[in-house]
Amino acid sequence: MIAFFIKRFFQAVVVMFVISLISFSIQDNLGDPLRELVGQAVSEEERQALRDEMGLNDPFLVQYVRFAKNALQGDLGESYFFKEPALEVILNKFPATLELVIGATFIIVLFSVPLGVYSAIKPQSVFSKAVMGFSIVGISIPVFLTAIGLIYLFSIELGWMPSYGRGETVEILGFWESGFFTQDGLEHLILPCFTLASIMLPLFIRLIRAEMMEVLQSEYVKFAWAKGISPRRIYFLHALKNTMLPVITVGGVQIGTMVAYTILTETVFQWPGMGFLFLEAVNRVDTPLIVAYLIVVGAIFVVTNTLVDLIYGLVNPTVKLAGR
Amino acid sequence: MALLEVKDLEVCFGLRSGAVKALREINFSLERGERLGIVGESGAGKSVLGFSILNLISRPGYISKGAVNFEGQNLADLKPHQLREIRGNRISMIFQDPMMTLNPVLTIGQQMVECLLAHRKMRESDARKIALQKLQQVQIPSPETRLDQYPHELSGGMRQRIVIAIGLLLDPDVIIADEPTTALDVTIQAEIMDLMLNLCEQNNVALILITHDLGVVSEVTQNMMVMYAGRVIERGPTKEIINDPQHPYTQGLMNALPQMAQAGQKLNQIKGAMPPLQRIPTGCAFNPRCEYVMEICRHNLPDSTVSGNCRVACHMVAEMKREQAMGDEV
Ligand SMILES: Nc1ncnc2c1ncn2[C@@H]1O[C@H](COP(=O)(O)OP(=O)(O)OP(=O)(O)O)[C@@H](O)[C@H]1O
Ligand SMILES: [Mg+2]
């Protein structure tokens, strides 16, 4: 267990180093921050002086080392636009994004497991075929179209659901603005969560179905039938537990990826999260904010992957967490 | 009434290219405590037969004709829950590869206890006790610890012992053992086979032993069947068939055995291979490989003829019988 964490820690360090290097080096190509920082009226000499002062004229390596040193102390620079520490600005928006991802994950698990399992057990039934057909269509519809469709139907035509913002939130644990605890907050979550889930849901249904069908062909499932135990136990214990092993691995990575997909969803729904913030930051060439976003997202990837490996190890008795 | 009676059983696979018959005209019966051997080359349909007895052939396979009567009741007529009461309880099965038979994510104890609880009303703690008892019977070292172990923590031989223990868990009337030692290390094959045979004998369990090993069949079974391309081509008392095989295919199998050959005689493999189901030749399926092939063999499927205590499906044997009968009359 300890060996697992040590190994994971070093992997994380390497990954974070690479991410920081990449995100830091692209900032040169994003445009001139000075234009945003100061107005048109400032002369070229003054701009040069300001650049020198900010260290923008130093060699790349010097700049990176300075950046890394600060980053290690949690200082990712100050947002040009907000004039606040970039990391703080990002982390303020983190709860909104995380709740979106949690909601979407919940929806995915809630629907993909029963649908995938059912269509694996009864592949010939009309319902299974409908699910499969629907999932093909689902995969090919772009997110913004789903979002617009949902908004049109449920907000504009039916008027059941709000179409933008987070609604009413409450502060929990002293720092977390949560929409999970008010009815208004939950109502605001529904459409964005379904939109975000719509990308992954068809994939998950198909993945679970394919894995389950393979497991159902296995010798141990055949043996379980020969033992005369109930179909329910065979499907939901013998088969499902084995089905979920690869699904956890693939699924975990996908959920990490979902953080990136929040950019689109948050933009359409005006969701005040990290993704929305990131898009604004790009428009404003707010380099420190962009870099901070990339690093935070990288960290989320590392954390989710570690969690996935942990869960996988718990479910799969043949894996010892000591590392391979 | 026989304990188990298979009557004119036919099993098909609905493939894309059309339905193919994997088994046809299978007839045999099994008495309490009897041991029946089933031999034949790979692809003969031995496993399909084993599974279809328990109505366990998976799609695209299905029983297209005939009946499997267990204590006089056709298993095909039973409702799913009635069938479940028989599976694992009255008739149990031992599979070929113990590495694949046990569920990798459940403990040995879970896999044993669930079987008991499915068939008997009892407390889980009592089920564990019975499981433990059975593990002792199959001579597993430190059985208590095994109950909480996962299959991957055990060796192949140990796992097959556990599969045997599961097979015996509910004191069944019949065990179908499909090549129970083929996947094991040669050094422990005999040991596991002996263990299984002893336990069957002690508990008066009838055994259907599917195997490639004619030697084992000749040693331990009372009756045997030889299968070729989905048909039983010869069946009868093991002794008679081993001493005087009548079907050319059975003779061929025998000649290929080192133990059976006389000193100095050459070992003869039967030439050619068993045809796949889609390309079974007309007439006798064995005709392209048969050294005594006659014209009729290429066109007509031979019926099974009685010859002594045996039944043989071969035109040559039938003809010999006919000549004999005519000779007797004269
Ligand atoms: N699910 C299936 N779909 C199509 N054909 C099948 C299926 N299962 C078995 N068969 C066919 O049925 C025939 C008999 O197979 P079976 O497994 O019973 O052979 P076997 O005698 O047990 O051989 P072995 O000694 O290799 O175990 C083979 O030709 C095989 O290709
Ligand atoms: Mg077989």
Side-chain angles (χ1 to χ4, degrees):
Chain A
M1 199 69 175
I2 292 172
F4 170 80
F5 276 113
I6 292 175
K7 212 174 149 194
R8 267 300 150 151
F9 178 75
F10 281 109
Q11 278 176 5
V13 169
V14 173
V15 171
M16 292 312 295
F17 171 72
V18 173
I19 292 176
S20 72
L21 203 60
I22 292 173
S23 50
F24 182 75
S25 54
I26 56 173
Q27 66 178 5
D28 272 351
N29 306 320
L30 286 178
D32 186 1
L34 266 283
R35 206 175 20 175
E36 285 291 321
L37 214 52
V38 297
Q40 296 284 330
V42 182
S43 74
E44 186 53 36
E45 282 101 79
E46 279 173 284
R47 283 172 192 243
Q48 266 316 332
L50 208 54
R51 280 206 185 92
D52 276 339
E53 198 184 312
M54 290 173 69
L56 292 177
N57 288 334
D58 291 345
F60 177 79
L61 211 60
V62 176
Q63 287 195 48
Y64 177 73
V65 170
R66 187 163 55 219
F67 164 80
K69 239 190 230 158
N70 291 334
L72 282 178
Q73 289 156 3
D75 176 10
L76 293 177
E78 196 168 89
S79 158
Y80 298 149
F81 180 79
F82 292 97
K83 311 276 193 265
E84 274 172 48
L87 191 62
E88 223 165 87
V89 175
I90 293 278
L91 289 183
N92 273 336
K93 304 288 187 184
F94 179 67
T97 296
L98 191 69
E99 290 193 350
L100 194 60
V101 172
I102 290 175
T105 308
F106 178 74
I107 290 170
I108 289 174
V109 174
L110 192 72
F111 286 93
S112 67
V113 174
L115 289 178
V117 167
Y118 181 85
S119 53
I121 295 174
K122 295 223 166 11
Q124 301 296 330
S125 83
V126 177
F127 182 68
S128 302
K129 286 183 176 159
V131 169
M132 285 302 108
F134 204 73
S135 71
I136 287 264
V137 177
I139 286 175
S140 33
I141 296 181
V143 187
F144 69 90
L145 218 61
T146 316
I148 290 170
L150 287 176
I151 291 176
Y152 179 76
L153 187 63
F154 291 103
S155 305
I156 299 174
E157 285 295 312
L158 297 169
W160 291 351
M161 240 75 84
S163 63
Y164 65 89
R166 282 190 84 185
E168 192 186 333
T169 57
V170 286
E171 196 172 272
I172 50 166
L173 306 171
F175 64 92
W176 191 282
E177 288 287 336
S178 175
F180 282 152
F181 300 96
T182 63
Q183 198 194 336
D184 190 48
L186 285 173
E187 278 173 6
H188 278 81
L189 268 164
I190 293 176
L191 289 187
C193 284
F194 267 98
T195 302
L196 189 55
S198 72
I199 315 160
M200 302 283 175
L201 186 58
L203 282 176
F204 270 72
I205 293 175
R206 300 185 79 85
L207 177 68
I208 290 176
R209 175 183 128 107
E211 290 295 336
M212 182 92 172
M213 286 180 94
E214 198 174 317
V215 169
L216 287 179
Q217 294 294 320
S218 69
E219 288 286 294
Y220 55 81
V221 167
K222 249 187 166 177
F223 188 60
W225 286 114
K227 289 199 294 190
I229 58 181
S230 70
R232 202 188 309 154
R233 198 174 161 89
I234 293 176
Y235 290 136
F236 294 103
L237 183 72
H238 285 252
L240 190 58
K241 212 171 168 192
N242 284 285
T243 300
M244 289 322 279
L245 290 180
V247 174
I248 289 171
T249 324
V250 178
V253 177
Q254 293 299 326
I255 283 171
T257 317
M258 216 152 65
V259 174
Y261 278 107
T262 56
I263 295 177
L264 258 173
T265 310
E266 288 183 1
T267 308
V268 179
F269 287 97
Q270 305 268 299
W271 192 261
M274 285 167 24
F276 192 32
L277 182 76
F278 174 72
L279 219 61
E280 285 180 331
V282 171
N283 281 334
R284 296 177 185 133
V285 202
D286 196 341
T287 325
L289 209 50
I290 294 171
V291 173
Y293 174 83
L294 293 177
I295 287 178
V296 167
V297 169
I300 293 173
F301 265 97
V302 171
V303 170
T304 42
N305 280 351
T306 309
L307 277 179
V308 165
D309 282 0
L310 267 177
I311 296 173
Y312 186 83
L314 289 180
V315 182
N316 189 351
T318 60
V319 172
K320 292 234 165 55
L321 282 182
R324 268 135 273 196
Chain B
M1 182 175 59
L3 177 65
L4 181 75
E5 192 177 29
V6 174
K7 268 191 175 160
D8 199 25
L9 184 70
E10 183 179 282
V11 170
C12 289
F13 283 107
L15 301 181
R16 227 165 263 160
S17 49
V20 291
K21 287 181 188 165
L23 292 181
R24 47 164 114 182
E25 292 169 48
I26 307 283
N27 286 289
F28 69 92
S29 66
L30 187 77
E31 302 295 333
R32 234 165 247 288
E34 181 186 334
R35 290 192 199 145
L36 171 73
I38 301 180
V39 294
E41 278 170 302
S42 206
K46 306 183 297 292
S47 298
V48 172
L49 175 55
F51 283 118
S52 51
I53 290 174
L54 272 181
N55 215 326
L56 263 180
I57 6 168
S58 43
R59 277 174 350 121
Y62 57 95
I63 295 180
S64 42
K65 221 164 95 181
V68 177
N69 295 323
F70 180 69
E71 292 182 325
Q73 195 168 32
N74 186 358
L75 296 188
D77 295 340
L78 295 184
K79 297 208 173 64
H81 75 270
Q82 293 171 314
L83 200 56
R84 244 187 293 141
E85 275 167 30
I86 289 179
R87 291 179 185 153
N89 185 16
R90 312 293 308 279
I91 307 177
S92 60
M93 230 173 143
I94 295 172
F95 288 20
Q96 175 171 349
D97 189 351
M99 295 310 207
M100 322 278 281
T101 319
L102 295 169
N103 195 318
V105 300
L106 302 175
T107 62
I108 305 300
Q110 280 176 306
Q111 300 189 49
M112 297 185 80
V113 166
E114 68 176 0
C115 192
L116 282 159
L117 294 184
H119 298 290
R120 300 258 194 288
K121 277 208 164 28
M122 59 167 69
R123 261 181 283 144
E124 199 169 325
S125 55
D126 294 330
R128 254 180 97 91
K129 272 183 210 134
I130 297 180
L132 197 63
Q133 236 174 3
K134 293 289 170 186
L135 286 185
Q136 280 157 354
Q137 278 183 20
V138 294
Q139 294 158 18
I140 284 196
S142 49
E144 302 86 3
T145 51
R146 305 296 171 211
L147 281 180
D148 297 314
Q149 281 182 321
Y150 288 94
H152 74 273
E153 297 172 71
L154 306 170
S155 70
M158 206 99 90
R159 289 192 218 184
Q160 196 63 318
R161 283 172 197 269
I162 285 163
V163 173
I164 293 173
I166 293 177
L168 289 165
L169 212 46
L170 287 132
D171 302 312
D173 300 297
V174 183
I175 288 188
I176 303 166
D178 188 357
E179 309 194 30
T181 59
T182 318
L184 299 179
D185 203 293
V186 206
T187 51
I188 55 168
Q189 284 188 355
E191 196 182 317
I192 300 278
M193 185 63 83
D194 283 345
L195 174 81
M196 193 184 71
L197 293 169
N198 281 336
L199 287 171
C200 285
E201 182 140 24
Q202 280 166 29
N203 298 300
N204 197 31
V205 182
L207 176 70
I208 297 180
L209 180 62
I210 296 173
T211 176
H212 286 153
D213 192 343
L214 267 177
V216 172
V217 168
S218 70
E219 274 169 46
V220 307
T221 65
Q222 289 114 29
N223 293 299
M224 67 180 281
M225 312 203 296
V226 184
M227 292 186 67
Y228 189 84
R231 287 190 97 206
V232 175
I233 49 113
E234 184 160 5
R235 81 186 151 95
T238 307
K239 266 205 198 89
E240 289 179 33
I241 293 183
I242 296 284
N243 291 336
D244 181 22
Q246 304 196 36
H247 197 288
Y249 177 64
T250 319
Q251 291 170 0
L253 284 184
M254 228 67 96
N255 287 337
L257 275 186
Q259 306 95 293
M260 302 287 167
Q262 313 289 324
Q265 192 185 326
K266 237 178 33 188
L267 287 182
N268 291 315
Q269 289 290 333
I270 312 173
K271 287 193 186 62
M274 171 121 39
L277 296 181
Q278 294 90 332
R279 280 198 296 280
I280 293 181
T282 50
C284 172
F286 186 59
N287 83 65
R289 301 170 71 188
C290 182
E291 39 183 321
Y292 309 108
V293 60
M294 304 178 292
E295 196 47 37
I296 185 174
C297 302
R298 298 190 216 276
H299 305 296
N300 294 352
L301 195 67
D303 289 327
S304 106
T305 32
V306 182
S307 165
N309 291 317
C310 303
R311 289 186 143 265
V312 188
C314 174
H315 288 301
M316 187 180 66
V317 174
E319 193 154 306
M320 270 160 38
K321 286 283 140 199
R322 237 174 286 132
E323 278 167 16
Q324 242 175 42
M326 288 203 315
D328 289 348
E329 265 170 41
V330 173

